[in-house]
Amino acid sequence: MQEQPLLDVKELKTHFHTERGRMTAVDGISFQVNVGEIVGVVGESGCGKSVTSQSILRLLDEKNTAAYEGEILFKGTNLLKLSDSEMRNIRGNDIAMIFQDPLSSLNPVYTIGYQIAETILLHQDVSKKEAYARAVEMLRITGIPAPEKRVNEFPHQLSGGMQQRVMIAIALSCLPQLLIADEPTTALDVTIQAQIIELIEELNRKHGMGVLFITHDLGVVAELCTRVVVMYLGQIVEEATVEDLFTQPLHPYTKGLMKSIPHLDGDKSEKLHVIKGMVPTLNNVPKGCRFAPRCLYADELCLEKAPDLTEYRKGQKVRCWHAERIVLEEEGQYA
Ligand SMILES: Nc1ncnc2c1ncn2[C@@H]1O[C@H](COP(=O)(O)OP(=O)(O)OP(=O)(O)O)[C@@H](O)[C@H]1O
Ligand SMILES: [Mg+2]
Protein backbone atom coordinates (compact mmCIF):
# COMPACT_ATOMS: atom_id res chain seq x y z
CA MET A 1 0.00 0.00 0.00
CA GLN A 2 1.21 3.46 -0.83
CA GLU A 3 1.89 5.78 2.07
CA GLN A 4 -0.69 8.52 2.62
CA PRO A 5 0.50 11.80 1.11
CA LEU A 6 1.37 14.56 3.57
CA LEU A 7 -0.65 17.02 1.53
CA ASP A 8 -3.28 15.96 -0.96
CA VAL A 9 -4.97 18.82 -2.78
CA LYS A 10 -8.03 17.65 -4.70
CA GLU A 11 -9.82 19.75 -7.29
CA LEU A 12 -9.19 22.92 -5.34
CA LYS A 13 -10.93 26.05 -6.57
CA THR A 14 -10.47 29.45 -5.00
CA HIS A 15 -12.95 32.14 -5.97
CA PHE A 16 -12.81 35.83 -5.18
CA HIS A 17 -15.93 37.94 -5.06
CA THR A 18 -14.89 41.27 -6.51
CA GLU A 19 -16.62 44.37 -7.83
CA ARG A 20 -16.28 42.90 -11.30
CA GLY A 21 -17.96 39.67 -10.25
CA ARG A 22 -16.70 36.28 -9.26
CA MET A 23 -13.14 35.44 -10.31
CA THR A 24 -11.72 31.97 -10.02
CA ALA A 25 -8.01 32.43 -9.34
CA VAL A 26 -7.35 28.75 -8.75
CA ASP A 27 -9.46 26.55 -10.96
CA GLY A 28 -9.57 22.89 -10.06
CA ILE A 29 -6.00 21.99 -9.17
CA SER A 30 -4.93 18.63 -7.76
CA PHE A 31 -1.46 17.68 -6.57
CA GLN A 32 0.31 15.98 -3.71
CA VAL A 33 3.32 16.48 -1.50
CA ASN A 34 4.63 13.31 0.08
CA VAL A 35 6.49 13.06 3.36
CA GLY A 36 10.07 14.25 2.85
CA GLU A 37 9.43 15.49 -0.66
CA ILE A 38 10.18 18.90 -2.17
CA VAL A 39 7.64 19.88 -4.81
CA GLY A 40 8.13 22.99 -6.92
CA VAL A 41 5.36 25.21 -8.28
CA VAL A 42 6.28 27.40 -11.25
CA GLY A 43 4.48 29.73 -13.61
CA GLU A 44 4.36 33.36 -14.68
CA SER A 45 3.18 36.16 -12.45
CA GLY A 46 -0.55 36.01 -11.71
CA CYS A 47 -1.04 32.32 -12.48
CA GLY A 48 -2.25 31.58 -8.95
CA LYS A 49 0.83 30.33 -7.10
CA SER A 50 0.38 32.54 -4.04
CA VAL A 51 -3.39 32.05 -3.97
CA THR A 52 -2.75 28.30 -3.93
CA SER A 53 -0.38 28.56 -0.98
CA GLN A 54 -2.65 30.99 0.89
CA SER A 55 -5.59 28.65 0.27
CA ILE A 56 -3.77 25.69 1.79
CA LEU A 57 -3.31 27.64 5.02
CA ARG A 58 -6.71 29.33 4.59
CA LEU A 59 -5.20 32.77 4.90
CA LEU A 60 -7.62 34.47 2.52
CA ASP A 61 -10.54 36.55 3.72
CA GLU A 62 -13.33 33.96 3.79
CA LYS A 63 -15.75 36.35 5.42
CA ASN A 64 -15.72 38.90 2.64
CA THR A 65 -14.09 37.80 -0.58
CA ALA A 66 -12.72 34.29 -0.82
CA ALA A 67 -14.52 30.97 -1.19
CA TYR A 68 -13.07 27.49 -1.62
CA GLU A 69 -14.23 24.32 -3.30
CA GLY A 70 -12.62 20.92 -3.32
CA GLU A 71 -10.49 19.30 -0.66
CA ILE A 72 -7.16 20.06 0.99
CA LEU A 73 -6.20 16.93 2.85
CA PHE A 74 -3.35 17.27 5.33
CA LYS A 75 -2.50 13.78 6.58
CA GLY A 76 -6.02 12.80 5.63
CA THR A 77 -7.83 15.71 7.34
CA ASN A 78 -9.67 18.14 5.10
CA LEU A 79 -8.41 21.57 6.15
CA LEU A 80 -11.36 23.23 4.43
CA LYS A 81 -13.64 21.63 7.02
CA LEU A 82 -11.73 22.80 10.11
CA SER A 83 -12.89 25.57 12.44
CA ASP A 84 -10.88 28.77 12.77
CA SER A 85 -9.32 27.64 16.02
CA GLU A 86 -8.41 24.20 14.64
CA MET A 87 -6.86 25.94 11.65
CA ARG A 88 -4.84 28.29 13.88
CA ASN A 89 -3.42 25.26 15.60
CA ILE A 90 -2.27 23.78 12.29
CA ARG A 91 -0.62 27.01 11.12
CA GLY A 92 2.93 27.45 12.27
CA ASN A 93 2.73 24.13 14.06
CA ASP A 94 2.19 21.37 11.49
CA ILE A 95 2.34 23.60 8.44
CA ALA A 96 4.55 26.69 8.27
CA MET A 97 4.85 29.28 5.55
CA ILE A 98 7.53 31.66 4.39
CA PHE A 99 6.09 34.61 2.53
CA GLN A 100 7.20 36.50 -0.54
CA ASP A 101 7.92 39.70 1.37
CA PRO A 102 9.65 39.30 4.76
CA LEU A 103 9.30 42.90 5.91
CA SER A 104 5.53 42.90 5.68
CA SER A 105 5.28 39.76 7.77
CA LEU A 106 7.61 40.77 10.60
CA ASN A 107 6.19 43.04 13.24
CA PRO A 108 8.33 46.21 13.41
CA VAL A 109 7.60 46.94 17.08
CA TYR A 110 8.85 43.67 18.57
CA THR A 111 12.36 42.29 18.76
CA ILE A 112 13.01 39.31 16.56
CA GLY A 113 13.70 37.20 19.66
CA TYR A 114 10.24 38.04 20.97
CA GLN A 115 8.65 37.13 17.65
CA ILE A 116 10.35 33.76 17.40
CA ALA A 117 9.76 32.98 21.10
CA GLU A 118 6.11 33.94 20.71
CA THR A 119 5.67 31.38 17.95
CA ILE A 120 7.33 28.71 20.04
CA LEU A 121 5.24 29.57 23.11
CA LEU A 122 2.07 29.48 21.08
CA HIS A 123 2.63 25.92 19.96
CA GLN A 124 4.78 24.27 22.56
CA ASP A 125 4.59 23.77 26.26
CA VAL A 126 7.85 25.42 27.28
CA SER A 127 8.83 28.25 29.63
CA LYS A 128 9.62 31.76 28.35
CA LYS A 129 13.27 31.21 29.14
CA GLU A 130 13.36 28.00 27.14
CA ALA A 131 11.54 29.66 24.25
CA TYR A 132 14.16 32.43 24.12
CA ALA A 133 16.99 29.91 24.24
CA ARG A 134 15.31 28.07 21.39
CA ALA A 135 14.96 31.37 19.46
CA VAL A 136 18.71 31.97 19.73
CA GLU A 137 19.32 28.43 18.58
CA MET A 138 17.01 28.89 15.56
CA LEU A 139 18.86 32.07 14.58
CA ARG A 140 22.12 30.17 14.80
CA ILE A 141 20.76 27.34 12.65
CA THR A 142 19.56 29.81 10.01
CA GLY A 143 23.09 31.18 9.84
CA ILE A 144 22.67 34.51 11.60
CA PRO A 145 25.98 35.60 13.12
CA ALA A 146 26.07 36.55 16.82
CA PRO A 147 22.54 35.27 17.47
CA GLU A 148 22.70 36.13 21.22
CA LYS A 149 23.00 39.78 20.21
CA ARG A 150 20.68 39.73 17.21
CA VAL A 151 17.87 38.19 19.20
CA ASN A 152 17.37 41.57 20.94
CA GLU A 153 17.27 43.61 17.76
CA PHE A 154 14.26 44.92 15.83
CA PRO A 155 13.48 43.95 12.22
CA HIS A 156 14.68 47.28 10.76
CA GLN A 157 18.13 46.72 12.25
CA LEU A 158 18.62 43.71 10.02
CA SER A 159 19.39 43.50 6.31
CA GLY A 160 16.81 42.02 3.91
CA GLY A 161 18.66 38.74 3.85
CA MET A 162 18.76 38.57 7.64
CA GLN A 163 15.05 39.39 7.89
CA GLN A 164 14.31 36.57 5.52
CA ARG A 165 16.36 34.23 7.71
CA VAL A 166 14.38 35.40 10.73
CA MET A 167 11.18 34.57 8.85
CA ILE A 168 12.61 31.18 8.12
CA ALA A 169 13.66 30.77 11.75
CA ILE A 170 10.08 31.58 12.80
CA ALA A 171 8.63 29.22 10.21
CA LEU A 172 10.91 26.38 11.20
CA SER A 173 10.99 26.96 14.96
CA CYS A 174 8.28 24.36 15.52
CA LEU A 175 9.74 21.85 13.08
CA PRO A 176 6.71 21.80 10.79
CA GLN A 177 5.90 18.67 8.84
CA LEU A 178 5.14 20.80 5.82
CA LEU A 179 6.79 24.04 4.77
CA ILE A 180 5.20 26.25 2.16
CA ALA A 181 7.81 28.62 0.79
CA ASP A 182 6.38 31.30 -1.51
CA GLU A 183 9.30 32.77 -3.44
CA PRO A 184 11.35 32.97 -0.27
CA THR A 185 14.49 34.07 -2.03
CA THR A 186 13.39 36.47 -4.77
CA ALA A 187 14.36 39.59 -2.84
CA LEU A 188 17.75 38.23 -1.80
CA ASP A 189 21.15 38.36 -3.42
CA VAL A 190 22.43 35.12 -4.91
CA THR A 191 24.79 34.16 -2.10
CA ILE A 192 22.13 34.43 0.59
CA GLN A 193 19.67 32.76 -1.74
CA ALA A 194 21.98 29.77 -2.10
CA GLN A 195 22.44 29.56 1.68
CA ILE A 196 18.71 29.59 2.34
CA ILE A 197 18.10 26.91 -0.24
CA GLU A 198 20.81 24.82 1.38
CA LEU A 199 19.13 25.29 4.74
CA ILE A 200 15.74 24.17 3.44
CA GLU A 201 17.39 21.16 1.86
CA GLU A 202 19.12 20.30 5.10
CA LEU A 203 15.92 20.48 7.16
CA ASN A 204 14.20 18.37 4.54
CA ARG A 205 16.96 15.77 4.74
CA LYS A 206 17.32 15.78 8.52
CA HIS A 207 13.69 16.00 9.57
CA GLY A 208 11.87 14.68 6.51
CA MET A 209 10.00 17.96 6.23
CA GLY A 210 7.81 18.12 3.11
CA VAL A 211 8.18 21.33 1.13
CA LEU A 212 6.01 23.13 -1.38
CA PHE A 213 8.44 25.53 -3.02
CA ILE A 214 6.93 28.29 -5.15
CA THR A 215 9.29 30.10 -7.47
CA HIS A 216 9.84 31.82 -10.80
CA ASP A 217 13.31 30.39 -10.93
CA LEU A 218 13.66 27.14 -12.83
CA GLY A 219 17.34 26.97 -11.86
CA VAL A 220 16.31 26.70 -8.21
CA VAL A 221 13.73 24.07 -9.13
CA ALA A 222 16.36 21.96 -10.86
CA GLU A 223 18.58 22.13 -7.80
CA LEU A 224 16.05 21.67 -5.04
CA CYS A 225 12.90 19.87 -6.15
CA THR A 226 12.07 16.30 -7.01
CA ARG A 227 8.74 17.04 -8.66
CA VAL A 228 7.31 20.12 -10.31
CA VAL A 229 3.85 21.49 -10.96
CA VAL A 230 3.55 24.05 -13.76
CA MET A 231 0.65 26.47 -13.45
CA TYR A 232 -0.97 28.66 -16.06
CA LEU A 233 -3.93 30.92 -15.42
CA GLY A 234 -5.18 29.11 -12.33
CA GLN A 235 -4.72 25.58 -13.63
CA ILE A 236 -2.00 22.95 -13.71
CA VAL A 237 -0.79 22.48 -17.27
CA GLU A 238 1.97 20.00 -16.53
CA GLU A 239 3.28 17.91 -13.68
CA ALA A 240 6.48 15.91 -13.85
CA THR A 241 9.60 14.81 -12.05
CA VAL A 242 12.40 17.35 -12.36
CA GLU A 243 14.30 15.00 -14.71
CA ASP A 244 11.35 14.59 -17.08
CA LEU A 245 10.50 18.26 -16.99
CA PHE A 246 13.99 19.30 -17.98
CA THR A 247 14.68 16.53 -20.50
CA GLN A 248 11.27 16.38 -22.12
CA PRO A 249 8.86 19.14 -21.22
CA LEU A 250 5.55 18.34 -22.89
CA HIS A 251 3.38 21.43 -22.65
CA PRO A 252 4.19 24.24 -25.09
CA TYR A 253 4.01 26.61 -22.12
CA THR A 254 6.59 24.61 -20.17
CA LYS A 255 8.79 24.53 -23.26
CA GLY A 256 8.52 28.32 -23.42
CA LEU A 257 9.49 28.65 -19.75
CA MET A 258 12.49 26.37 -20.33
CA LYS A 259 13.70 28.47 -23.23
CA SER A 260 13.51 31.57 -21.08
CA ILE A 261 16.26 30.29 -18.77
CA PRO A 262 19.49 32.08 -19.65
CA HIS A 263 22.23 29.51 -20.27
CA LEU A 264 25.53 30.32 -18.65
CA ASP A 265 27.44 28.40 -21.27
CA GLY A 266 25.14 29.39 -24.12
CA ASP A 267 25.72 31.74 -27.01
CA LYS A 268 25.67 35.23 -25.55
CA SER A 269 24.13 36.65 -28.70
CA GLU A 270 21.20 34.26 -28.41
CA LYS A 271 18.12 36.27 -27.52
CA LEU A 272 16.31 35.40 -24.35
CA HIS A 273 13.21 33.56 -25.45
CA VAL A 274 10.12 35.10 -23.98
CA ILE A 275 6.68 33.56 -24.45
CA LYS A 276 4.78 35.89 -26.76
CA GLY A 277 1.68 37.67 -25.63
CA MET A 278 0.16 38.39 -22.27
CA VAL A 279 -1.54 36.14 -19.76
CA PRO A 280 -5.29 36.79 -20.18
CA THR A 281 -7.10 38.25 -17.18
CA LEU A 282 -9.31 36.13 -14.94
CA ASN A 283 -12.49 37.79 -16.17
CA ASN A 284 -11.53 36.99 -19.74
CA VAL A 285 -10.53 33.34 -19.64
CA PRO A 286 -10.30 31.79 -23.13
CA LYS A 287 -13.02 29.31 -23.98
CA GLY A 288 -10.77 26.50 -25.21
CA CYS A 289 -7.25 25.81 -24.00
CA ARG A 290 -6.24 28.74 -21.81
CA PHE A 291 -2.82 28.88 -23.41
CA ALA A 292 -4.08 28.65 -27.01
CA PRO A 293 -3.97 32.41 -27.77
CA ARG A 294 -0.21 32.36 -27.10
CA CYS A 295 0.60 28.89 -28.36
CA LEU A 296 2.64 28.16 -31.49
CA TYR A 297 0.85 24.84 -31.99
CA ALA A 298 -2.74 25.91 -31.40
CA ASP A 299 -5.37 24.94 -33.95
CA GLU A 300 -9.15 25.14 -34.10
CA LEU A 301 -9.69 22.34 -31.59
CA CYS A 302 -7.51 24.16 -29.05
CA LEU A 303 -9.46 27.38 -29.48
CA GLU A 304 -12.79 25.57 -29.11
CA LYS A 305 -12.34 22.93 -26.47
CA ALA A 306 -10.35 22.90 -23.23
CA PRO A 307 -8.11 19.84 -22.82
CA ASP A 308 -7.96 17.89 -19.55
CA LEU A 309 -4.83 17.16 -17.57
CA THR A 310 -3.97 13.62 -18.63
CA GLU A 311 -1.17 11.21 -17.89
CA TYR A 312 1.25 11.13 -20.79
CA ARG A 313 3.56 8.62 -19.16
CA LYS A 314 4.11 7.44 -15.60
CA GLY A 315 4.66 10.49 -13.42
CA GLN A 316 4.12 13.04 -16.17
CA LYS A 317 0.79 14.72 -16.81
CA VAL A 318 0.01 17.34 -19.41
CA ARG A 319 -2.97 19.48 -20.40
CA CYS A 320 -2.54 19.73 -24.17
CA TRP A 321 -4.40 18.27 -27.16
CA HIS A 322 -1.23 17.91 -29.16
CA ALA A 323 1.44 16.80 -26.69
CA GLU A 324 1.98 13.49 -28.44
CA ARG A 325 2.11 14.99 -31.92
CA ILE A 326 4.57 17.65 -30.80
CA VAL A 327 6.89 15.04 -29.27
CA LEU A 328 6.78 12.95 -32.45
CA GLU A 329 7.44 15.98 -34.61
CA GLU A 330 10.39 17.00 -32.51
CA GLU A 331 11.82 13.49 -32.61
CA GLY A 332 11.36 13.53 -36.38
CA GLN A 333 13.27 16.77 -36.61
CA TYR A 334 16.27 15.29 -34.89
CA ALA A 335 16.18 11.91 -36.70
N1 LIG B 1 -7.52 39.05 -2.63
C1 LIG B 1 -7.71 38.94 -3.95
N2 LIG B 1 -8.84 39.40 -4.52
C2 LIG B 1 -9.05 39.31 -5.86
N3 LIG B 1 -8.15 38.76 -6.72
C3 LIG B 1 -7.00 38.29 -6.20
C4 LIG B 1 -6.70 38.36 -4.80
N4 LIG B 1 -5.47 37.82 -4.59
C5 LIG B 1 -5.02 37.43 -5.81
N5 LIG B 1 -5.94 37.72 -6.77
C6 LIG B 1 -5.81 37.42 -8.21
O1 LIG B 1 -5.56 36.04 -8.35
C7 LIG B 1 -4.66 35.80 -9.43
C8 LIG B 1 -3.50 34.96 -8.96
O2 LIG B 1 -2.68 35.73 -8.11
P1 LIG B 1 -1.41 35.16 -7.36
O3 LIG B 1 -0.98 36.20 -6.39
O4 LIG B 1 -1.71 33.82 -6.83
O5 LIG B 1 -0.35 35.02 -8.53
P2 LIG B 1 1.16 34.48 -8.43
O6 LIG B 1 1.23 33.31 -9.34
O7 LIG B 1 1.53 34.27 -7.02
O8 LIG B 1 1.98 35.68 -9.06
P3 LIG B 1 3.44 36.25 -8.66
O9 LIG B 1 4.41 35.37 -9.39
O10 LIG B 1 3.43 37.63 -9.21
O11 LIG B 1 3.58 36.20 -7.18
C9 LIG B 1 -4.25 37.16 -9.97
O12 LIG B 1 -5.05 37.46 -11.09
C10 LIG B 1 -4.60 38.10 -8.83
O13 LIG B 1 -4.94 39.36 -9.31
MG1 LIG C 1 2.88 35.13 -5.76
Side-chain angles (χ1 to χ4, degrees):
M1 205 178 80
Q2 214 183 352
E3 204 182 337
Q4 183 183 49
L6 185 62
L7 179 73
D8 194 359
V9 176
K10 292 183 170 176
E11 286 297 316
L12 172 70
K13 291 188 183 188
T14 305
H15 312 282
F16 290 112
H17 297 285
T18 69
E19 282 162 8
R20 283 177 296 165
R22 188 169 101 150
M23 311 240 237
T24 303
V26 168
D27 200 354
I29 64 168
S30 301
F31 66 91
Q32 289 153 6
V33 179
N34 294 309
V35 175
E37 192 182 29
I38 306 185
V39 176
V41 180
V42 297
E44 282 164 296
S45 190
C47 69
K49 303 183 296 295
S50 293
V51 172
T52 299
S53 57
Q54 288 161 341
S55 302
I56 295 168
L57 278 178
R58 293 194 32 211
L59 294 171
L60 298 162
D61 181 0
E62 291 172 43
K63 284 213 174 63
N64 299 305
T65 57
Y68 305 112
E69 276 181 67
E71 285 180 307
I72 301 172
L73 302 176
F74 177 69
K75 297 200 297 178
T77 301
N78 187 0
L79 299 183
L80 293 180
K81 292 257 156 59
L82 296 188
S83 67
D84 286 355
S85 73
E86 287 170 321
M87 205 53 224
R88 264 197 302 276
N89 200 32
I90 295 257
R91 282 186 211 118
N93 202 359
D94 302 300
I95 309 178
M97 180 159 172
I98 311 172
F99 295 93
Q100 228 162 341
D101 175 9
L103 246 194
S104 68
S105 9
L106 286 172
N107 191 326
V109 304
Y110 294 115
T111 65
I112 57 170
Y114 177 87
Q115 295 185 54
I116 302 173
E118 191 188 36
T119 315
I120 296 170
L121 285 169
L122 194 64
H123 298 286
Q124 284 172 42
D125 190 18
V126 292
S127 69
K128 268 199 180 147
K129 208 170 153 211
E130 284 169 314
Y132 261 90
R134 188 99 200 268
V136 172
E137 190 47 35
M138 281 316 294
L139 292 179
R140 196 190 315 281
I141 294 172
T142 49
I144 294 195
E148 304 82 2
K149 184 172 149 271
R150 293 289 184 178
V151 80
N152 296 314
E153 292 184 344
F154 291 90
H156 74 267
Q157 292 174 282
L158 305 175
S159 67
M162 293 253 188
Q163 285 171 9
Q164 190 60 300
R165 282 152 184 255
V166 171
M167 283 301 304
I168 293 171
I170 291 175
L172 301 175
S173 59
C174 295
L175 292 178
Q177 298 169 54
L178 176 66
L179 172 71
I180 300 174
D182 189 353
E183 312 221 27
T185 58
T186 22
L188 305 176
D189 73 54
V190 280
T191 325
I192 312 270
Q193 183 176 324
Q195 286 171 15
I196 286 182
I197 284 166
E198 228 169 81
L199 175 72
I200 291 178
E201 247 174 348
E202 193 185 308
L203 285 158
N204 163 263
R205 259 199 323 271
K206 274 193 188 156
H207 303 284
M209 174 179 76
V211 184
L212 188 66
F213 196 92
I214 293 163
T215 180
H216 275 104
D217 189 338
L218 282 164
V220 171
V221 166
E223 196 186 329
L224 187 67
C225 303
T226 43
R227 223 148 38 77
V228 195
V229 163
V230 182
M231 286 186 72
Y232 186 77
L233 202 57
Q235 296 184 328
I236 293 176
V237 294
E238 182 157 4
E239 184 191 322
T241 62
V242 166
E243 291 75 26
D244 286 345
L245 198 85
F246 281 82
T247 52
Q248 194 165 62
L250 293 175
H251 199 285
Y253 179 64
T254 318
K255 288 175 198 279
L257 287 182
M258 291 295 172
K259 287 196 188 133
S260 68
I261 313 173
H263 288 281
L264 286 177
D265 53 351
D267 179 0
K268 295 264 166 32
S269 65
E270 188 188 353
K271 277 213 189 82
L272 207 69
H273 177 98
V274 183
I275 303 167
K276 280 203 201 87
M278 299 271 287
V279 184
T281 54
L282 285 176
N283 50 4
N284 195 17
V285 172
K287 170 171 136 202
C289 170
R290 296 183 174 200
F291 187 60
R294 299 172 74 190
C295 183
L296 294 171
Y297 303 92
D299 60 14
E300 234 163 83
L301 172 66
C302 308
L303 293 168
E304 280 303 313
K305 202 161 177 262
D308 288 331
L309 188 68
T310 50
E311 189 156 62
Y312 180 83
R313 61 174 149 238
K314 195 170 182 306
Q316 191 164 15
K317 293 177 194 162
V318 63
R319 188 189 290 278
C320 173
W321 289 120
H322 301 306
E324 184 146 17
R325 193 194 87 205
I326 297 165
V327 168
L328 290 174
E329 266 178 26
E330 277 176 356
E331 280 170 357
Q333 269 175 32
Y334 299 121

